[in-house]
């Protein structure tokens, strides 16, 4: 209990010192503050404890005490208007208000419809580094612009591209490559051409989605070849497509083609690899790849058509 009072005292002292250091025109509306915060301001900066001053705007470094004041105690994310406040002055974000049944998570008092305008105005005065600064992003943004940038920041971690599970692992490309090979036992091949063979004993039974994944290293980049069997309505279908391990803008610098055939028949697909930023289910559902209906797949297999034998060949190239 003593520690809680001491922490609250330190927080209040920090907040008071911030309000003393921020010169704000109270006659301006909050909307005016948000509009004026749309630009970073002067490039000249003066370093002080826990922050950098850009013109008249304080720039906070991560883990600073003031930055912590704007962290929701429920979800640990940054708070944005309308910031909620309980009668004792504890704050939380609007989205988390219903999660705690309108009870303050700190003092358990009923949370009404009180907004913490002081914190909202304080936030307008701040400029913060991108959350992914430790991964290489050097951008600094006004508080209310930072979230939009971070949703698209090219330095944000990638999600594991493996389709076989809802894997929660994230990381950069080297870490994901090691994860895919060690944890998911995915093969890594070198070269810009491939020959993929898919065999299924009972091609009529596709109760759930099944898949294979292969990694390719070519042109100094990595690609994921997906081959999935699933139901399109009531009919089993087979689909192959390529994903690029990197950003969408870089993925568009490459092209690829897929070919499947047999028994005197051939089907060819040509397209552009999609970034692993796009979930494999989204690519599958948009049909952005080589799709083979079961009847045609059985024709490719030849023989008595009781066993599915598909051979998918392909090539990756770099666009000029």
């Amino acid at each position: 209990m003593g520690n809680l009072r001491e922490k609250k005292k330190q927080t209040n002292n920090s907040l008071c010192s911030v309000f003393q250091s921020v010169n704000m025109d109270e006659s301006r509306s909050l909307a005016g503050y948000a509009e004026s915060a749309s630009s970073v301001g002067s490039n000249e900066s003066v370093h002080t404890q826990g922050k950098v001053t850009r013109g008249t705007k304080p720039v906070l470094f991560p883990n600073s005490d003031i930055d912590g004041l704007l962290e929701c105690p429920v979800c640990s994310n940054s708070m944005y208007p309308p910031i909620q406040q309980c009668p004792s002055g504890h704050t939380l974000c609007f989205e988390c208000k219903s999660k705690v049944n309108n009870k303050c998570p700190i003092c358990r008092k009923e949370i009404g419809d009180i907004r913490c305008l002081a914190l909202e105005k304080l936030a307008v005065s701040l400029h913060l580094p991108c959350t992914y600064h430790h991964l290489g992003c050097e951008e600094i943004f006004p508080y209310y612009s930072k979230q939009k940038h971070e949703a698209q920041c090219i330095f944000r971690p990638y999600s594991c591209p493996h389709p076989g599970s809802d894997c929660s692992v994230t990381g950069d490309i080297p870490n994901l490559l090691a994860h895919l090979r060690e944890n998911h036992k995915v093969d890594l091949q070198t070269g810009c051409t491939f020959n993929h063979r898919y065999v299924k004993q009972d091609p009529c039974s596709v109760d759930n989605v099944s898949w294979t994944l292969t990694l390719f290293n070519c042109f100094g980049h990595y690609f994921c070849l997906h081959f999935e069997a699933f139901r399109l309505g009531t009919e089993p279908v087979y689909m192959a497509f390529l994903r690029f391990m990197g950003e969408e803008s870089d993925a568009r610098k490459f092209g690829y083609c897929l070919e499947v055939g047999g028994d005197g028949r051939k089907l060819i697909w040509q397209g552009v690899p999609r970034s692993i930023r796009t979930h494999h289910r989204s690519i599958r559902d948009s049909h952005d790849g080589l799709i083979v209906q079961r009847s045609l797949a059985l024709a490719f297999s030849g023989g008595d058509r009781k066993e599915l034998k598909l051979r998918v060949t392909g090539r990756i190239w770099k666009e000029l």
Side-chain angles (χ1 to χ4, degrees), residues 23 64 100 145 206 234 237 288 304:
N23 182 18
S64 69
V100 294
S145 302
V206 184
T234 59
V237 296
D288 192 5
D304 57 10

Side-chain angles (χ1 to χ4, degrees), residues 56-94:
T56 60
K57 302 293 185 181
V59 180
L60 300 185
F61 288 127
N63 301 320
S64 69
D65 292 337
I66 303 174
D67 193 19
L69 292 173
L70 290 160
E71 180 180 289
C72 175
V74 178
C75 65
S76 299
N77 294 325
S78 298
M79 294 185 289
Y80 293 88
I83 298 177
Q84 302 297 288
Q85 176 179 296
C86 81
S88 297
H90 304 122
T91 56
L92 75 163
C93 65
F94 182 78

Side-chain angles (χ1 to χ4, degrees), residues 256-268:
Y256 75 101
C257 64
L258 298 171
E259 180 180 309
V260 59
D263 198 27
R265 300 168 177 84
K266 183 184 292 186
L267 191 62
I268 299 175

Side-chain angles (χ1 to χ4, degrees), residues 99-126:
K99 295 179 183 178
V100 294
N101 297 319
N102 292 333
K103 297 284 187 180
C104 176
I106 298 175
C107 67
R108 305 307 299 168
K109 289 184 179 179
E110 190 78 22
I111 302 175
D113 294 319
I114 305 173
R115 285 177 62 177
C116 186
L117 297 179
L119 269 187
E120 292 180 9
K121 290 183 177 181
L122 170 64
V124 171
S125 72
L126 303 180

Side-chain angles (χ1 to χ4, degrees), residues 163 186-187 189 193-197 211-216 222-228 239-245 256-258 312-314 316:
V186 176
D187 290 334
Q189 301 179 14
T193 60
F194 48 85
N195 191 327
H196 180 86
R197 188 166 180 263
W211 48 80
T212 60
L213 180 69
T214 308
L215 293 173
F216 293 93
Y222 293 89
F223 300 82
C224 302
L225 175 64
H226 291 254
F227 189 89
E228 301 193 3
M239 182 175 179
F241 56 90
L242 197 71
R243 286 205 290 170
F244 176 77
M245 296 191 70
Y256 75 101
C257 64
L258 298 171
V312 179
T313 60
I316 306 169

